[in-house]
Amino acid sequence: DTAVSQTPKYLVTQMGNDKSIKCEQNLGHDTMYWYKQDSKKFLKIMFSYNNKELIINETVPNRFSPKSPDKAHLNLHINSLELGDSAVYFCASSQDPNKETQYFGPGTRLLVL
Amino acid sequence: QKEVEQDPGPLSVPEGAIVSLNCTYSNSAFQYFMWYRQYSRKGPELLMYTYSSGNKEDGRFTAQVDKSSKYISLFIRDSQPSDSATYLCATLGRSNYKLTFGKGTLLTVNP
């Protein structure tokens, strides 16, 4: 009964490939997020959806495309992977966009070779 | 100037020590101030949050905000080896729905 789950946990792939990461939350929250944490542990927001509507779209290459099929799911598709995309990607959810408490998933460790 | 500045450490202390972790922020619009804790190879989890200036205590942890100087602190009393983790300060503004994190401070409490 994990609150926020992500698949896969690890992803090793070649440059130029396309990959997807999936996230699901069973907390009944309206808002979901994607964060990128680089090798120096800096955690930065990428996207946020509230009730399936995109509300945060940070300066991220358009190779990254989020998709929210319903409130409980938020996926991240990455085209033409580059070496610099190697990082840990965290999904999170909160009750609403103004809530200070966000619940994070375990992360997806992406390594691009 | 980054919106939230945090000394990345690392910080190493003996068990039982008092730990002080600090951040500064630049945007006066920030209204909520949070501390997240991240254990190695795990996702961050909320430890404490405060709204406006003042102190908030929860067991061995005290969060402090001084909005006049834009300073955020977390104090850990009687630190334990289980407190070893990366501590991330974060702020939330009312209007942009965005949680802005500091770079995190890696804390090791040695038994």
Side-chain angles (χ1 to χ4, degrees):
Chain A
D1 55 344
T2 308
V4 182
S5 58
Q6 294 178 230
T7 53
K9 284 194 173 149
Y10 300 95
L11 194 49
V12 181
T13 188
Q14 300 286 332
M15 264 193 339
N17 283 350
D18 302 339
K19 290 292 177 186
S20 290
I21 308 171
K22 294 178 188 269
C23 178
E24 177 180 359
Q25 54 96 0
N26 62 7
L27 298 166
H29 287 167
D30 285 347
T31 312
M32 295 185 73
Y33 310 82
W34 277 114
Y35 287 87
K36 179 180 180 182
Q37 188 170 47
D38 61 25
S39 56
K40 295 184 178 173
K41 295 284 196 178
F42 186 45
L43 195 61
K44 197 165 188 320
I45 182 78
M46 299 173 71
F47 302 103
S48 176
Y49 274 77
N50 185 52
N51 277 322
K52 301 197 298 173
E53 181 187 336
L54 183 67
I55 58 169
I56 295 176
N57 186 2
E58 289 293 281
T59 307
V60 173
N62 57 16
R63 299 181 294 103
F64 290 79
S65 50
K67 192 167 285 187
S68 181
D70 55 58
K71 285 198 316 183
H73 295 86
L74 180 62
N75 304 323
L76 183 65
H77 187 75
I78 315 170
N79 288 325
S80 303
L81 277 154
E82 299 178 358
L83 295 176
D85 298 333
S86 296
V88 183
Y89 292 85
F90 286 101
C91 175
S93 74
S94 64
Q95 204 168 343
D96 63 58
N98 285 316
K99 274 295 179 191
E100 67 291 330
T101 308
Q102 293 186 10
Y103 295 83
F104 284 78
T108 295
R109 281 156 183 80
L110 171 65
L111 178 61
V112 182
L113 302 173
Chain B
Q1 182 190 12
K2 287 201 179 349
E3 289 190 288
V4 181
E5 300 269 9
Q6 182 175 8
D7 184 347
L11 188 59
S12 182
V13 301
E15 184 175 352
I18 296 174
V19 175
S20 171
L21 303 167
N22 306 295
C23 292
T24 57
Y25 65 94
S26 57
N27 191 339
S28 301
F30 292 142
Q31 293 191 314
Y32 287 95
F33 306 92
M34 284 75 73
W35 285 95
Y36 279 78
R37 178 175 60 195
Q38 185 176 19
Y39 289 114
S40 181
R41 305 186 79 75
K42 301 281 187 188
E45 56 178 349
L46 182 68
L47 192 59
M48 296 181 71
Y49 74 90
T50 56
Y51 175 70
S52 76
S53 286
N55 291 359
K56 185 173 182 178
E57 193 172 313
D58 184 2
R60 297 184 293 109
F61 298 87
T62 300
Q64 193 173 77
V65 175
D66 182 345
K67 290 186 87 173
S68 63
S69 59
K70 298 190 179 71
Y71 205 77
I72 313 165
S73 299
L74 177 71
F75 299 97
I76 308 174
R77 290 185 300 282
D78 187 26
S79 55
Q80 302 294 309
S82 58
D83 295 330
S84 299
T86 296
Y87 289 80
L88 302 130
C89 61
T91 60
L92 179 66
R94 256 289 173 217
S95 58
N96 67 0
Y97 309 130
K98 197 168 69 170
L99 208 57
T100 303
F101 284 90
K103 284 196 169 182
T105 301
L106 177 60
L107 170 68
T108 302
V109 181
N110 301 298

